[in-house]
Amino acid sequence: DPNIGIPITSLQYFKLTPQRLIDRLINRHRHFLASEIALHLNLKSEDGKFDIRSKIMGHWAKARVVVAKDMTDAALVAQIYEKLKDIPGVDFADIAREANASRRPDLASQLLEFE
């Protein structure tokens, strides 16, 4: 897909490793595609304990906190929780830190309730 902007050959893909490809997709905010690839390849987190989707969707949630300035805290918490509730290993404290850094302390407090 030319919108993603990562043209690579299969040899480059294998040298890059699937985890690094996922990192590149995350950095481009292609969270859904990264999540689908990770699910298809059954990729685990670096410590091997969780599905790597916890990292992907945690990044999505932090990005969402930054850009969703027009949403109420309650609506944003509901949206984030709905997306992340079935993904084990998501670091809600990390998302709460991002909310606090974005000057949304009430949102941060609500997110910590899921930790």
Side-chain angles (χ1 to χ4, degrees):
D1 184 347
N3 294 324
I4 298 169
I6 309 177
I8 59 174
T9 66
S10 59
L11 178 62
Q12 290 170 323
Y13 167 77
F14 287 112
K15 284 187 176 184
L16 180 67
T17 74
Q19 288 81 2
R20 295 292 164 240
L21 176 62
I22 295 297
D23 288 342
R24 287 184 178 190
L25 290 169
I26 290 171
N27 289 336
R28 286 171 172 79
H29 294 270
R30 300 303 226 160
H31 301 101
F32 178 74
L33 180 59
S35 182
E36 290 298 306
I37 290 171
L39 184 62
H40 178 73
L41 296 177
N42 195 28
L43 296 178
K44 299 292 181 197
S45 61
E46 291 170 2
D47 61 9
K49 293 181 180 177
F50 299 107
D51 182 325
I52 199 169
R53 291 181 307 145
S54 62
K55 174 183 175 180
I56 296 165
M57 296 310 290
H59 187 277
W60 167 83
K62 290 190 293 185
R64 190 75 183 126
V65 164
V66 171
V67 299
K69 297 189 183 308
D70 58 332
M71 289 183 76
T72 66
D73 290 345
L76 188 52
V77 165
Q79 183 184 54
I80 290 171
Y81 179 72
E82 186 61 33
K83 292 268 188 187
L84 305 182
K85 68 181 179 184
D86 296 327
I87 301 174
V90 173
D91 188 356
F92 280 95
D94 196 33
I95 302 164
R97 274 190 290 280
E98 188 66 44
N100 197 48
S102 296
R103 301 184 189 272
R104 294 183 81 168
D106 293 336
L107 175 63
S109 295
Q110 292 175 38
L111 287 165
L112 285 174
E113 292 178 18
F114 300 115
E115 188 60 30

